[in-house]
């Protein structure tokens, strides 16, 4: 009986195992069915001539076409095959349609985004596009849908969601651009809103102290001075008359100052041919964005014939759009950083006291226009919202004085988004590239470019509003027409720097210009400039620069600015010797004796100094803002980018009237900051040897699904690694953001170029290209820009008639 029972159990177990293996095999086959086609021949509808796609060992495609339209169609095909889910998320994010795919957990985000009505605006942009751009857009769109249809099964994400992907539409490419506007431009409105809280709650003199226009670390290309940090005298602010207590300081010290302006960013620079080893101009670009799998960029090389010969472009593309975003065309190379200019304004509205839907305009009273938006939600009923708009833009919020304001943002205008970036692919000179820049419909960027004649240039790419009546830093009323936008500047009138005498150009989200050009661009919350200064100084030290020298600058993780803070805290500790074995003594020992001067993974001293830096800023800058944070508990002081500069000036001058009354001296305040900074590392152990920067800076490069289903990390996440780099140095690196690519190229010498990026070409975890090249990025390896030897060949052919 027992033997028979065991036999039945064994048969049942084998049957279950067989079923499980069958299901696993079927599931694997289904998943593999969404892998891209790599080899063979297929007919592609709409194609005019044959296109050949050769992939190398990293999956980088080399596309050879007979026209730009055929190249766009082939690129769309590849984007869909490798990255369609990424493209879908981008268009949905901009349109406020995420809940339809993911569920009601993203409904709040969709409601917020719908205020922009970007799908409607995208349709208007497509309708207004010129015939060439329409043809390019249609070719790309058809290629995307052909690529999606050619998969044997839908991309794996849709299998897990149990959804079917919607076809790509021409307006979805414009939504892809709008997704970049949301990421790279909208924050300037939030910056202005937070600055307005300072203006509206403090005296003009004190507001000027918290909102300086410059600081000691800046390194602009145009050097006309701007006002820096000026400490208020005792008649404006005297902490000896402080009505707050030491308890308020403890509340402030619990929040670490970490301004978003310095947590990410990008670098680009150019060196003229007269300063390089081979005589050609060098361009370097590393755009810092949030990390993810797949990476935001898709590498490609595309070639097609033009009147002057074969045009070949190489660099990065954005899945969802047909243009080369950054790279080289053999004559001109270009790259971008976010400009941090002022591209959005908050308009204070004046309402009729008897009718809260009538607001004052230069043409008289006008009524708010209401738009209804329906948000589809997976697994729930549709959600309907009402959006009130003014002639300037949607109602955006209410300030601390109870006044409603509207958002005037370049992204809401038809002129803001287009496909003119593709014109850079055919620019033969710097002059042509600069002429294109002003007509490009992208979030406003610092465009740095170099040409094959050894020359270099800078300008702003994207539309610049003609602001009239005020400088745009803070919200004002536009009711009487005194303050307004008068359209956009003509592309020929964009600020520009062409072939500077120094032979070097650098940008790093810092203030680049001064004087008139700065007034044109405005201030959207520039970073401190320490990163730009370090890049500038690195470049000035180079003699006969090479591509590898440029990569070394990109990988520069020296903590020069933090080293300045180290010097003054060590001086305080020297003058106030700590008792042996105390937290202060341990801090002093590591920071004094084990300082390498770099944000390297093995460094304990760097992590301790970094923690001290945040703590002392909270205890100085954060405390000074107590009058605001007490009135507005949700106010975020990290939207004031000069907190670090203000703290430095206060500590450098140490005025008695800015010392909290509960501190007997500035040395005491600084030593208390040391104590506070040591609380976390000593909370569980007396051994600091494991408290390294690498332990803290574990970089996570992962697919978005892992945030909802952590168990998928085994297949959808790169191995966690502690990497060097941080803010305020060229090698910006954080847990979830950093260099989305590193590129170095001299136009005409692309074979000597360098490129690497996090993640791989494919968004499919079963693809050999899912993480191909990722280790090169981690290690900072000088990998080639151009695609390598042929590993796969795919031929796209016109449909036979």
């Amino acid at each position: 009986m027992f033997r028979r029972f065991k036999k039945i159990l064994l048969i049942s177990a084998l049957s279950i195992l067989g079923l499980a293996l069958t299901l696993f095999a079927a599931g694997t086959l289904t998943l593999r069915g969404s892998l891209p086609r790599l080899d063979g021949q297929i007919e592609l509808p709409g194609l005019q001539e044959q296109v050949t796609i050769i992939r190398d060992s990293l999956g980088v495609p080399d596309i050879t076409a007979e026209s730009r339209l055929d190249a766009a169609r082939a690129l769309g095909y590849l984007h869909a095959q490798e990255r369609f889910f990424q493209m879908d998320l981008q268009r949905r994010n901009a349109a406020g349609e995420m809940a339809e795919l993911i569920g009601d957990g993203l409904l709040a985000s969709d409601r917020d985004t719908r205020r922009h009505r970007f799908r409607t605006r995208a349709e208007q942009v497509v309708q207004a596009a010129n015939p060439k751009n329409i043809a390019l857009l249609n070719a790309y769109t058809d290629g995307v849908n052909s690529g999606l249809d050619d998969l044997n099964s839908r991309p794996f994400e849709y299998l897990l969601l149990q959804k079917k992907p919607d076809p790509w539409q021409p307006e979805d490419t414009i939504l892809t651009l709008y997704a970049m506007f949301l990421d790279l431009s909208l924050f300037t409105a939030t910056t202005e809103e937070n600055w307005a809280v300072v203006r509206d709650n403090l005296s003009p003199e004190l507001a000027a102290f918290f909102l300086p226009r410059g600081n000691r670390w800046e390194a602009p290309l145009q050097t006309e001075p701007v006002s820096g940090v000026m400490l208020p005298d005792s008649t404006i602010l005297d902490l000896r008359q402080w009505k707050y207590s030491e308890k308020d300081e403890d509340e402030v010290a619990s929040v670490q100052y970490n301004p978003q302006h310095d947590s990410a960013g990008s670098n680009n620079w150019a060196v003229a041919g007269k300063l390089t080893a081979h005589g050609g101009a060098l361009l370097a670009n590393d755009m810092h964005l949030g990390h993810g799998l797949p990476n935001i960029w898709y590498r490609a090389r595309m070639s097609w014939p033009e009147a002057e010969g074969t045009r070949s472009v190489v660099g990065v593309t954005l899945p969802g759009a047909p243009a080369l975003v950054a790279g080289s065309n053999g004559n001109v190379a270009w790259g971008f950083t976010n400009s941090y200019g002022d591209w959005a304004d908050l308009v204070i509205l004046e309402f009729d006291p008897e009718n809260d839907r009538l607001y004052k305009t230069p043409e008289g009273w006008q009524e708010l226009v209401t738009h209804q938006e329906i948000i589809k939600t997976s697994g729930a009923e549709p959600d309907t919202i009402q959006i009130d708009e003014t002639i300037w833009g949607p109602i955006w919020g209410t300030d601390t004085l109870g006044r409603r304001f509207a958002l005037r943002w370049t992204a809401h205008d038809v002129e803001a988004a287009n496909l003119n970036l593709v014109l850079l692919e055919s620019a033969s000179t710097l002059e042509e590239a600069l002429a294109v820049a002003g007509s490009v419909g992208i979030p406003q960027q610092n465009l740095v470019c170099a040409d094959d004649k050894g020359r270099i240039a800078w300008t702003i790419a994207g539309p610049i509003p003609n602001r009239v009546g005020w400088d745009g830093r803070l919200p004002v009323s536009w009711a009487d027409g005194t303050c307004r936008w008068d359209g956009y500047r003509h592309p020929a009138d964009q600020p520009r720097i062409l072939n500077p005498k120094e032979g070097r150009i650098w940008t790093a989200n810092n203030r680049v210009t001064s004087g008139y050009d700065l007034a044109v661009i405005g201030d959207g919350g520039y970073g401190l400039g320490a990163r730009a200064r370090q890049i500038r100084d690195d470049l000035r030290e180079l003699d006969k620069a090479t591509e590898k020298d440029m990569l070394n600058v990109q990988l520069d993780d020296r903590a020069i600015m933090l080293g300045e803070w180290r010097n003054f805290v060590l001086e305080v500790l020297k003058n106030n010797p700590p008792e042996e074995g105390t937290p202060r003594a341990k801090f002093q020992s590591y920071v004094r004796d084990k300082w390498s001067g770099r944000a390297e993974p093995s460094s304990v001293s760097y992590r301790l100094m970094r923690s001290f830096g945040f703590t002392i800023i909270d205890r100085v800058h954060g405390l000074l803002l107590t009058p605001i944070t007490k009135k507005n508990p949700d106010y975020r002081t990290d939207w004031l980018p000069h907190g670090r500069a203000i703290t430095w000036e206060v500590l450098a001058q140490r005025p008695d009237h800015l010392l909290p009354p509960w501190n007997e001296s500035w040395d005491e305040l600084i030593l208390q900051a040391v104590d506070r900074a040591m609380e976390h590392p000593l909370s569980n152990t007396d051994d600091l040897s494991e408290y390294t920067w690498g332990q803290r800076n574990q970089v996570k490069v992962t697919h978005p699904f892992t945030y909802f289903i952590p168990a998928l990390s085994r297949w959808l996440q790169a191995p966690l690694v502690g990497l060097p780099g941080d803010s305020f140095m060229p090698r910006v690196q954080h847990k979830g953001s950093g260099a989305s690519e590193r590129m170095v190229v001299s136009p005409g010498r692309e074979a000597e170029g360098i490129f690497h990026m996090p993640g791989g070409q494919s968004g499919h975890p079963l693809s050999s290209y899912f993480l191909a090249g990722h280790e090169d990025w981690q290690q900072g390896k000088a990998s080639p820009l151009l695609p390598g030897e042929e590993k796969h060949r795919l031929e796209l052919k016109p449909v036979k008639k």
Side-chain angles (χ1 to χ4, degrees):
M1 178 75 178
F2 182 67
R3 289 181 178 179
R4 183 170 178 272
F5 182 64
K6 283 181 32 177
K7 185 176 181 181
I8 293 172
L9 282 178
L10 179 60
I11 293 172
S12 299
L14 291 173
S15 298
I16 293 172
L17 177 62
L19 177 62
L21 290 173
T22 300
L23 291 173
F24 177 78
T28 300
L29 286 173
T30 302
L31 286 176
R32 295 192 67 84
S34 59
L35 284 168
R37 184 189 297 271
L38 302 179
D39 297 287
Q41 298 179 351
I42 64 164
E43 292 183 343
L44 198 66
L47 205 64
Q48 298 302 303
E49 301 288 344
Q50 177 176 308
V51 175
T52 301
I53 300 172
I54 294 173
R55 284 181 171 92
D56 67 2
S57 61
L58 297 181
V60 179
D62 193 343
I63 303 169
T64 302
E66 293 302 315
S67 70
R68 183 62 181 92
L69 289 182
D70 278 355
R73 195 177 300 271
L75 183 64
Y77 174 91
L78 291 174
H79 281 170
Q81 290 251 307
E82 303 270 21
R83 302 286 193 88
F84 189 81
F85 186 71
Q86 172 190 358
M87 297 163 62
D88 195 8
L89 291 187
Q90 287 171 168
R91 65 176 171 178
R92 288 180 178 275
N93 179 50
E97 297 170 355
M98 294 289 284
E100 182 181 6
L101 182 68
I102 307 298
D104 59 7
L106 293 174
L107 186 57
S109 174
D110 281 353
R111 286 172 179 157
D112 185 60
T113 304
R114 281 295 179 99
R115 293 187 291 174
H116 302 291
R117 300 175 55 243
F118 273 146
R119 182 163 288 284
T120 297
R121 299 184 196 280
E123 292 169 354
Q124 294 170 349
V125 169
V126 172
Q127 291 171 4
N130 64 51
K132 285 188 176 181
N133 282 351
I134 284 292
L136 187 72
L137 194 56
N138 288 337
Y140 177 80
T141 298
D142 291 345
V144 169
N145 290 324
S146 294
L148 186 62
D149 290 342
D150 193 40
L151 295 172
N152 290 327
S153 63
R154 53 192 146 157
F156 78 93
E157 293 94 344
Y158 299 97
L159 295 173
L160 294 176
L161 291 170
Q162 300 182 40
K163 299 287 179 64
K164 291 183 179 180
D166 293 333
W168 196 256
Q169 304 292 336
E171 58 267 24
D172 292 334
T173 290
I174 307 303
L175 286 169
T176 299
L177 299 180
Y178 284 146
M180 300 305 290
F181 273 95
L182 289 170
D183 192 28
L184 300 174
S185 179
L186 182 58
F187 73 87
T188 62
T190 308
T191 297
E192 185 172 321
E193 184 177 357
N194 280 271
W195 289 3
V197 176
V198 174
R199 178 196 64 183
D200 295 340
N201 288 270
L202 300 176
S203 67
E205 297 83 2
L206 203 50
F209 166 58
F210 285 112
L211 302 174
R213 296 179 180 272
N215 65 80
R216 67 187 301 272
W217 291 293
E218 289 191 307
L221 297 177
Q222 297 176 347
T223 56
E224 184 178 335
V226 300
S227 59
V229 178
M230 301 293 293
L231 300 190
D233 62 34
S234 59
T235 64
I236 297 171
L237 179 62
D238 190 346
L239 267 62
R240 292 170 297 190
Q241 310 299 321
W242 201 247
K243 62 180 179 180
Y244 302 103
S245 67
E246 193 167 0
K247 178 183 176 183
D248 296 301
E249 180 186 36
D250 290 336
E251 291 177 0
V252 169
S254 67
V255 180
Q256 283 207 337
Y257 175 83
N258 189 20
Q260 64 90 33
H261 308 73
D262 299 314
S263 63
S266 300
N267 305 321
N268 64 3
W269 61 84
V271 178
K274 64 183 181 181
L275 300 176
T276 69
H278 50 48
L282 282 168
L283 173 87
N285 189 201
D286 50 303
M287 297 178 280
H288 306 158
L289 296 165
H291 293 323
L293 287 179
N295 186 32
I296 187 171
W297 308 120
Y298 182 82
R299 299 178 62 180
R301 183 185 188 187
M302 298 182 286
S303 303
W304 63 89
E306 289 186 345
E308 298 80 10
T310 299
R311 174 65 68 189
S312 183
V313 300
V314 62
V316 295
T317 65
L318 176 64
L324 192 79
V325 174
S328 177
N329 66 19
N331 300 123
V332 176
W334 65 95
F336 296 107
T337 67
N338 205 13
S339 64
Y340 283 62
D342 189 358
W343 315 120
D345 284 315
L346 301 180
V347 181
I348 296 174
L349 300 173
E350 299 181 26
F351 282 91
D352 184 339
E354 298 181 358
N355 186 341
D356 65 1
R357 293 194 60 80
L358 291 180
Y359 64 99
K360 192 177 180 181
T361 75
E363 289 75 35
W365 295 103
Q366 295 209 28
E367 186 172 0
L368 295 174
V369 176
T370 300
H371 299 278
Q372 180 174 286
E373 292 279 320
I374 299 174
I375 304 175
K376 296 179 182 179
T377 305
S378 178
E381 292 296 316
D383 184 59
T384 301
I385 62 172
Q386 309 291 331
I387 300 167
D388 288 333
E389 280 194 355
T390 70
I391 60 172
W392 300 298
I395 299 290
W396 199 249
T398 304
D399 66 17
T400 57
L401 301 180
R403 301 172 299 187
R404 283 185 285 174
F405 53 83
L407 174 64
R408 183 72 177 98
W409 185 23
T410 59
H412 291 160
D413 293 336
V414 171
E415 303 97 309
N418 59 46
L419 297 184
N420 287 350
L421 182 62
V422 74
L423 298 176
L424 281 176
E425 298 173 357
S426 297
S428 297
T429 66
L430 290 185
E431 287 80 4
E432 291 180 10
L434 294 176
V436 167
S439 71
V440 168
I442 60 173
Q444 293 82 353
Q445 302 287 292
N446 290 309
L447 170 68
V448 172
C449 46
D451 71 8
D452 57 358
K453 305 297 189 298
R455 303 184 304 156
I456 58 177
W458 164 90
T459 190
I460 293 291
I464 298 179
N466 279 316
R467 192 175 277 112
V468 176
W470 91 121
D471 64 8
R473 284 188 104 205
L474 294 165
V476 296
S477 171
W478 292 20
D480 64 3
T482 302
C483 298
R484 64 189 187 278
W485 286 7
D486 275 352
Y488 289 91
R489 299 184 69 83
H490 189 277
D493 295 331
Q494 305 272 73
R496 60 177 58 179
I497 297 173
L498 176 61
N499 222 28
K501 184 178 180 180
E502 179 175 338
R504 303 176 185 90
I505 287 173
W506 58 90
T507 83
N509 313 118
N510 58 306
R511 178 176 65 84
V512 173
T513 59
S514 299
Y516 177 76
D517 285 348
L518 178 59
V520 168
I521 296 170
D523 181 358
Y526 295 115
L528 285 185
R531 181 159 40 96
R533 184 180 67 168
Q534 191 163 331
I535 291 169
R536 178 201 67 187
D537 294 346
D538 283 349
L539 295 178
R540 286 177 174 175
E541 291 177 3
L542 294 176
D543 181 34
K544 300 301 180 183
T546 65
E547 281 82 355
K548 188 63 188 306
D549 290 331
M550 300 293 97
L551 177 61
N552 289 338
V553 176
Q554 292 175 327
L555 298 174
D556 182 4
D557 59 8
R558 292 176 301 143
I560 291 177
M561 188 178 79
L562 195 60
E564 298 174 359
W565 295 75
R566 169 180 174 267
N567 293 338
F568 91 73
V569 71
L570 286 179
E571 184 67 22
V572 172
L573 287 165
K574 180 180 178 182
N575 295 334
N576 301 270
E579 294 183 17
E580 186 176 350
T582 63
R584 291 181 188 177
K586 292 180 179 181
F587 179 91
Q588 182 185 46
S589 174
Y590 270 96
V591 171
R592 180 189 61 199
D593 303 332
K594 300 180 181 180
W595 177 256
S596 67
R598 294 182 178 276
E600 53 191 4
S602 62
S603 178
V604 174
S605 58
Y606 178 82
R607 188 175 180 185
L608 292 176
M609 263 308 305
R610 184 181 188 271
S611 179
F612 166 78
F614 283 126
T615 304
I616 193 67
I617 293 169
D618 288 332
R619 287 183 172 267
V620 176
H621 180 253
L623 183 66
L624 292 173
L625 284 166
T626 301
I628 289 179
T629 55
K630 279 292 185 182
K631 292 181 183 178
N632 308 277
D634 295 330
Y635 186 73
R636 291 179 49 188
T637 62
D638 56 357
W639 280 95
L640 301 178
H642 291 285
R644 191 174 297 269
I646 289 170
T647 301
W648 177 271
E649 297 300 334
V650 170
L651 294 176
Q653 300 182 39
R654 303 189 184 189
D656 290 340
H657 65 282
L658 296 184
L659 179 68
W662 49 83
N663 286 121
E664 294 184 0
S665 68
W666 282 104
D667 278 8
E668 182 187 62
L669 183 148
I670 294 167
L671 292 171
Q672 287 176 353
V674 172
D675 295 340
R676 187 63 177 252
M678 293 296 287
E679 288 179 4
H680 180 259
L682 294 176
S683 59
N684 296 314
T685 179
D686 289 334
D687 182 9
L688 291 175
S689 62
E690 299 298 319
Y691 195 75
T692 63
W693 177 235
Q695 182 202 52
R696 165 67 173 74
N697 206 35
Q698 292 275 314
V699 177
K700 188 174 184 179
V701 183
T702 190
H703 189 282
F705 272 14
T706 63
Y707 294 104
F708 306 103
I709 313 174
L712 293 177
S713 298
R714 178 180 176 184
W715 299 279
L716 299 180
Q717 181 173 299
L720 288 174
V721 178
L723 292 182
D726 194 8
S727 305
F728 308 117
M729 58 190 64
R731 187 169 189 169
V732 171
Q733 186 61 68
H734 301 288
K735 290 181 178 181
S737 64
S740 63
E741 49 75 47
R742 296 188 186 99
M743 178 181 68
V744 180
V745 62
S746 177
R749 294 178 171 84
E750 288 76 17
E752 301 168 41
I754 294 171
F755 185 95
H756 54 234
M757 71 180 192
Q761 284 288 95
S762 178
H764 200 300
L766 297 183
S767 169
S768 59
Y769 302 135
F770 185 57
L771 289 174
H774 181 74
E775 287 189 3
D776 291 349
W777 171 81
Q778 281 185 339
Q779 299 167 8
K781 184 179 177 181
S783 307
L785 170 65
L786 292 180
E789 294 181 4
E790 177 180 337
K791 297 297 181 182
H792 298 279
R793 176 183 289 259
L794 177 65
E795 294 179 353
L796 308 180
K797 295 179 175 293
V799 176
K800 294 179 180 179
K801 297 180 180 179

